[in-house]
């Protein structure tokens, strides 16, 4: 995954490097960038310093003869410089930018002061352990990125495109809409396109997190990143490389960390105020005792002030909190959930009302024949119905024809379409009519009146002016829809509302089946907006809206948190949403809430740990009871523990 560019980009100098991003109105503080944590070069300076420090401590302990005067000083300086230089450089760069009081300046002042006092081992140890803590952070960030990389490192670098009657290997960026590309078995689709073959099987795990193969039929969409499983196929490209589903996901994840959570922003702003206060307290710790203490010794109080400075570094907070959120984003990605920023991990923990679209969110959005009731031979009934419906492009007609499978259809002639009613035609010398009850009324054909009370979509058939039977067409409910509603109620959502453009009777029936609290049907897009505005009038309601269609974009934007079904959702819905559920499973809404709550717990644990340990050691340091070693633990040790705690999010089961 490409890293965001920073104002100061360090070259690989062997130490973990700090980059301070350019300040903007909505982002304050520091970005800690560690390069490639797996690179051996990254660890060499720390290893070199550690070897020199341990050998120097051994020489001091055993009082080795040659290890005296200037040789001892040079030895410790050689151990100090590799780990201190990047921090000194960063302190200088931040000062030139107008940021004087940073953790880097505190580290430099404390360690240079310790060197001046002759406390060489402690000065080297502070910088060394600080660097080791930063290296652990770098490794932790790399670990957190693995789940995201697994999701994103699936975009092929080449496409086999049909040009001049032969397939050429080109870069996907050069392929234009309408061109034909070929995929061999085991290859991933480089671009979005329509399947030209009759059917093909795909592994969609890269996009949805689901490993179950999925069958896609002729004319249906194949998304970039889907793996072709069993045959050579061709696709007609429908989107440019930059606009493909996978490219959009990649951009979403790359920009996710730029949208900071309020907790993260608060801590960074807090650190900017806290650091100068601590600096002046350290100065006061040196100066004030001169006027109060009888046997004042400058060296003793300076040492205490330096210890105070090291302890006070806000690194544990500045490092571990963003890392906690990054861990949450990574854990969510592993479950096929994309948060477009860490701020949304905070918002989702407060959600108490979920408003949902029906079609495509709780249902598959695909019509299927649910029931057949024939007054004549069922085989003949359906042969006539499928034949006449094959002359219509309506989704319901397509569902009826699809139910026939590969059977050859009867020949149809003299087709007439009556808008809003249905079709009439001649099939095998028979007058055939198929449509809704209004059609049969218009043709004065008698049918059972109880069919007018049927809630679900019904298609009636008449042959030679006699009622012949009906089929019920229904949208299939997703397998985990009921479980999703139960899980939401268990996770603090006390009101679930369903909004749909479908008939009110169908909408209310589904709501009762799934256990949804309120349901409203027959809604236009502007009606959905009105309903959501009405719900939001109650200020105690924190509302998430879940949808998938273009008509859902206004409500997604209006809600406190917009969630889109990403696998088959519309581009506009995915772009407008704050969270994208890649596998289209409504049960992942509750999973997203659980991940948000786990992230918040870890972040607050880290804040509590850092403040508690620092408060204790600061008091001990000011009283002369804590040495530089305790200071190192309070700073680097707490940061290290906080990092380990943040990593836990990756291991949790949701």
């Amino acid at each position: 995954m490409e890293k965001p560019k920073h104002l100061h980009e360090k070259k690989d100098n062997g130490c973990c490097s700090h980059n301070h991003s350019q300040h903007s109105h909505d982002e304050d503080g520091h970005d800690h960038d560690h390069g490639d944590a797996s690179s051996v070069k990254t660890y060499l300076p720390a290893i070199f310093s550690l070897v020199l420090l341990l050998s120097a401590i051994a020489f001091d302990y055993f009082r080795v003869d040659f290890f005296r005067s200037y040789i001892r000083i040079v030895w410790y300086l050689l151990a100090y410089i590799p780990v201190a230089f990047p921090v000194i450089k960063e302190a200088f760069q931040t000062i030139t930018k107008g940021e004087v009081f940073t953790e880097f300046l505190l580290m430099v002042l404390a360690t240079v002061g310790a060197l001046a006092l002759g406390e060489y081992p402690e000065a080297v140890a502070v910088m060394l352990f600080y660097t080791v803590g930063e290296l652990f952070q770098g490794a932790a960030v790399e670990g957190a990125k693995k789940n995201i990389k697994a999701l994103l490192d699936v975009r092929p670098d080449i496409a086999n495109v049909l040009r001049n009657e032969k397939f050429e290997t080109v870069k996907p960026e050069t392929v234009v809409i309408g061109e034909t590309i070929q995929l061999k078995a085991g290859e991933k689709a480089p671009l979005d396109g329509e399947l030209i073959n009759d059917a093909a099987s795909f592994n969609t795990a890269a996009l949805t997190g689901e490993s179950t193969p999925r069958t896609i039929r002729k004319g249906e969409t194949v998304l970039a990143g889907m793996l072709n499983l069993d045959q050579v196929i061709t696709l007609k490209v429908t989107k440019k490389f930059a606009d493909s589903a996978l490219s959009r996901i990649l951009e979403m994840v790359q920009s996710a960390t730029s949208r900071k959570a309020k907790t993260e922003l608060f801590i960074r702003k807090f650190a900017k105020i806290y650091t100068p206060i601590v600096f002046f307290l350290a100065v006061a710790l040196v100066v004030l005792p001169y006027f109060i203490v009888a046997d004042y010794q400058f060296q003793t109080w300076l040492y205490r002030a330096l210890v105070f400075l090291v302890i006070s570094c806000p690194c544990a907070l500045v490092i571990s909190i963003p890392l906690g959120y990054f861990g949450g984003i990574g854990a969510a990605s592993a479950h096929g959930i994309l948060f477009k920023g860490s701020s949304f991990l905070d918002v989702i923990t407060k959600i108490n009302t979920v408003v949902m679209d029906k079609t495509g969110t709780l249902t598959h959005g695909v019509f299927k024949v649910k029931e057949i009731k024939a007054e004549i031979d069922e085989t003949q009934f359906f042969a006539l119905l499928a034949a006449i419906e094959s002359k219509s492009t309506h989704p319901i007609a397509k569902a009826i024809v699809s139910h026939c499978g590969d059977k050859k259809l009867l020949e149809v002639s003299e087709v007439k379409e009556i808008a809003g009613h249905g079709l009439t035609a001649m099939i095998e010398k028979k007058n055939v009519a198929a449509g809704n009850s209004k059609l049969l009324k218009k043709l004065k054909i008698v049918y059972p009146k109880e069919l007018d009370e049927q809630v679900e979509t019904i298609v009636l058939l008449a042959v030679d002016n006699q009622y012949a039977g009906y089929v019920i067409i229904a949208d299939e409910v997703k397998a985990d829809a009921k479980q999703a509603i139960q899980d939401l109620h268990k996770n603090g959502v006390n009101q679930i509302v369903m909004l749909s453009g479908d008939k009110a009777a169908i909408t209310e029936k589904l709501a009762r089946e799934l256990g949804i609290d309120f349901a409203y049907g027959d809604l236009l897009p502007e009606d959905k907006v009105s309903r959501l505005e009405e719900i939001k009038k109650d200020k105690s309601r924190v509302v998430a809206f879940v949808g998938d269609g273009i008509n859902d974009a206004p409500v997604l934007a209006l809600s406190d948190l917009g969630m889109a079904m990403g696998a088959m959702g519309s581009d506009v819905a995915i772009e407008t949403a704050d969270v994208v559920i890649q596998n289209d499973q409504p049960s992942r809404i509750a999973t997203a809430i659980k991940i948000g709550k786990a992230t918040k717990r870890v972040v607050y644990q880290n804040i509590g740990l850092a403040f508690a340990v620092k408060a204790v050691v600061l008091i001990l340091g000011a009283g002369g009871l804590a040495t530089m070693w305790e200071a190192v633990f309070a700073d680097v040790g707490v940061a290290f523990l906080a990092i380990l705690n943040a990593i836990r999010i990756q291991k949790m089961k949701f």
Side-chain angles (χ1 to χ4, degrees):
M1 186 172 85
E2 197 178 64
K3 291 187 178 104
K5 296 283 184 276
H6 293 276
L7 189 65
H8 296 291
E9 191 99 33
K10 279 189 183 289
K11 290 175 185 172
D12 187 0
N13 53 19
C15 185
C16 94
S17 56
H18 278 291
N19 289 330
H20 282 257
S21 62
Q22 195 167 4
H23 282 268
S24 66
H25 292 294
D26 60 355
E27 181 180 343
D28 245 339
H30 314 302
D31 281 344
H32 297 261
D33 186 11
H34 301 272
D36 182 4
S38 62
S39 170
V40 176
K41 284 184 182 178
T42 310
Y43 295 93
L44 282 177
I47 294 166
F48 179 75
S49 291
L50 179 63
V51 171
L52 288 182
L53 176 63
L54 292 176
S55 57
I57 291 170
F59 293 152
D60 276 341
Y61 184 78
F62 294 109
R63 299 184 182 180
V64 176
D65 290 339
F66 83 90
F67 197 67
R68 291 179 184 175
S69 68
Y70 73 91
I71 291 175
R72 182 172 183 265
I73 296 168
V74 169
W75 193 287
Y76 276 114
L77 282 174
L78 284 172
Y80 177 80
I81 290 166
V83 286
F85 178 73
V87 182
I88 294 167
K89 186 180 175 184
E90 196 67 53
F92 176 76
Q93 286 177 339
T94 53
I95 289 167
T96 58
K97 280 169 59 184
E99 295 179 55
V100 179
F101 297 106
T102 62
E103 67 262 37
F104 308 111
L105 181 65
L106 294 187
M107 301 299 291
V108 172
L109 289 175
T111 55
V112 169
L115 289 171
L117 292 173
E119 305 290 347
Y120 306 126
E122 288 163 314
V124 176
V126 168
M127 282 298 186
L128 176 61
F129 287 120
Y130 179 75
T131 301
V132 168
E134 293 294 285
L135 287 171
F136 272 115
Q137 187 209 346
V141 168
E142 287 301 312
K145 282 180 181 176
K146 278 180 185 175
N147 286 327
I148 295 172
K149 281 184 176 178
L151 188 81
L152 298 176
D153 289 348
V154 292
R155 191 165 58 175
D157 299 324
I158 59 165
N160 294 314
V161 63
L162 182 63
R163 289 175 182 168
N164 303 319
E165 297 185 0
K166 63 176 183 179
F167 284 100
E168 297 176 14
T169 301
V170 298
K171 287 191 173 292
E173 295 94 323
T174 65
V175 179
V176 297
I177 294 170
E179 285 194 296
T180 300
I181 58 171
Q182 185 186 67
L183 285 187
K184 296 184 180 75
E187 288 183 345
K188 287 171 184 159
L191 301 116
D192 292 2
E194 279 181 14
L195 183 64
I196 295 171
N197 300 60
D198 288 335
S201 189
F202 292 88
N203 182 331
T204 64
L207 292 171
T208 66
E210 293 299 309
S211 56
T212 308
R214 181 173 155 206
T215 300
I216 293 177
R217 304 194 181 279
K218 186 174 183 175
E220 292 181 345
T221 302
V222 175
L223 300 177
M226 288 185 176
L227 177 69
N228 178 26
L229 292 176
D230 54 11
Q231 59 178 311
V232 177
I233 60 164
T234 49
L235 307 175
K236 182 183 174 185
V237 175
T238 54
K239 285 184 185 170
K240 289 191 289 186
F241 181 73
D243 299 329
S244 71
L246 202 58
S247 295
R248 292 201 320 273
I249 297 163
L250 196 129
E251 283 170 25
M252 284 176 205
V253 178
Q254 283 177 329
S255 63
T257 50
S258 66
R259 300 172 85 165
K260 307 294 180 189
K262 285 182 182 176
T263 313
E264 192 174 339
L265 291 173
F266 166 74
I267 288 298
R268 291 184 168 187
K269 286 174 183 173
F270 167 82
K272 287 188 74 177
I273 299 163
Y274 161 86
T275 308
I277 290 171
V278 162
F279 175 79
F280 289 114
L281 282 174
V283 172
L285 199 56
V286 178
V287 176
L288 292 179
Y290 176 79
F291 302 101
I292 300 166
V293 179
D295 57 340
Y296 175 81
Q297 287 184 314
F298 175 75
Q299 192 167 329
T300 301
W301 288 99
L302 177 61
Y303 180 78
R304 288 184 185 183
L306 295 174
V307 169
F308 190 84
L309 280 180
V310 175
I311 299 165
S312 67
C313 272
C315 297
L317 294 170
V318 174
I319 289 170
S320 64
I321 290 167
L323 185 62
Y325 284 110
F326 197 90
I329 290 170
S333 297
H335 288 80
I337 304 161
L338 296 180
F339 280 88
K340 290 188 184 177
S342 50
S343 56
F344 304 121
L345 277 162
D346 264 359
V347 175
I348 204 166
T349 62
K350 300 167 189 165
I351 296 297
N352 55 25
T353 305
V354 172
V355 181
M356 294 176 160
D357 176 42
K358 180 181 80 72
T359 309
T361 301
L362 291 168
T363 67
H364 287 290
V366 178
F367 287 111
K368 287 196 173 180
V369 174
K370 184 178 174 184
E371 186 184 331
I372 302 168
K373 181 76 173 174
E375 298 293 321
I376 59 175
D377 177 70
E378 191 173 301
T379 307
Q380 188 192 13
F381 166 84
F382 209 86
L384 292 169
L385 181 62
I388 192 169
E389 292 290 2
S390 69
K391 300 304 174 185
S392 171
T393 56
H394 194 282
I396 290 171
K398 286 182 177 177
I400 291 168
V401 175
S402 174
H403 190 74
C404 262
D406 300 327
K407 289 177 187 172
K408 192 177 177 184
L409 299 173
L410 302 174
E411 284 190 26
V412 183
S413 61
E414 299 178 34
V415 180
K416 288 179 187 172
E417 184 167 356
I418 302 167
H421 291 69
L423 301 165
T424 63
M426 289 297 292
I427 304 172
E428 293 187 334
K429 299 179 182 177
K430 293 183 177 78
N431 277 312
V432 179
N436 53 30
S437 58
K438 286 189 281 185
L439 177 67
L440 269 65
K441 282 175 186 171
K442 187 179 179 72
L443 297 174
K444 296 185 168 71
I445 296 169
V446 179
Y447 65 93
K449 292 299 171 193
E450 61 266 22
L451 295 182
D452 288 334
E453 295 167 22
Q454 176 59 243
V455 170
E456 291 169 301
T457 304
I458 187 168
V459 177
L460 287 75
L461 185 77
V463 180
D464 291 333
N465 294 317
Q466 294 293 314
Y467 166 72
Y470 66 85
V471 293
I472 290 175
I473 307 290
D475 187 0
E476 194 177 10
V477 178
K478 290 181 180 177
D480 64 332
K482 191 164 188 174
Q483 187 62 48
I485 303 304
Q486 289 172 357
D487 289 348
L488 285 171
H489 279 133
K490 285 176 190 171
N491 282 279
V493 176
N494 52 37
Q495 190 177 94
I496 300 171
V497 181
M498 182 165 67
L499 306 179
S500 179
D502 208 343
K503 287 194 290 190
I506 294 175
T507 305
E508 287 162 13
K509 181 172 181 264
L510 181 63
R512 284 194 298 275
E513 285 173 11
L514 299 181
I516 291 170
D517 303 310
F518 301 98
Y520 305 96
D522 294 314
L523 301 178
L524 295 170
E526 54 268 32
D527 298 328
K528 289 185 179 182
V529 171
S530 302
R531 284 285 179 189
L532 192 65
E533 284 174 341
E534 204 176 296
I535 292 166
K536 286 194 74 178
K537 281 179 185 174
D538 181 350
K539 298 300 178 189
S540 67
R541 297 265 157 225
V542 183
V543 183
F545 181 83
V546 191
D548 75 312
I550 291 173
N551 62 342
D552 294 327
V555 260
L556 282 164
L558 181 66
S559 59
D560 297 303
L561 185 83
M563 301 180 82
M565 292 293 169
M568 289 293 126
S570 77
D571 294 359
V572 181
I574 292 165
E575 292 297 329
T576 312
D578 307 311
V579 182
V580 179
I581 296 172
Q582 277 304 106
N583 56 17
D584 277 356
Q585 291 182 342
S587 57
R588 294 297 163 99
I589 304 165
T591 305
I593 293 173
K594 288 177 196 171
I595 290 170
K597 287 181 176 178
T599 304
K600 191 173 185 177
R601 272 197 309 274
V602 164
V603 166
Y604 276 74
Q605 284 165 4
N606 284 351
I607 293 170
L609 174 72
F611 276 125
V613 173
K614 280 186 184 291
V616 170
V617 185
L618 275 171
I619 294 164
L620 294 174
L625 299 172
T627 67
M628 200 71 85
W629 298 103
E630 282 86 2
V632 169
F633 171 75
D635 178 46
V636 182
V638 170
F640 179 55
L641 291 173
I643 288 162
L644 288 178
N645 193 31
I647 292 170
R648 279 196 313 121
I649 302 171
Q650 300 290 311
K651 310 295 178 191
M652 291 178 188
K653 289 185 179 178
F654 297 102

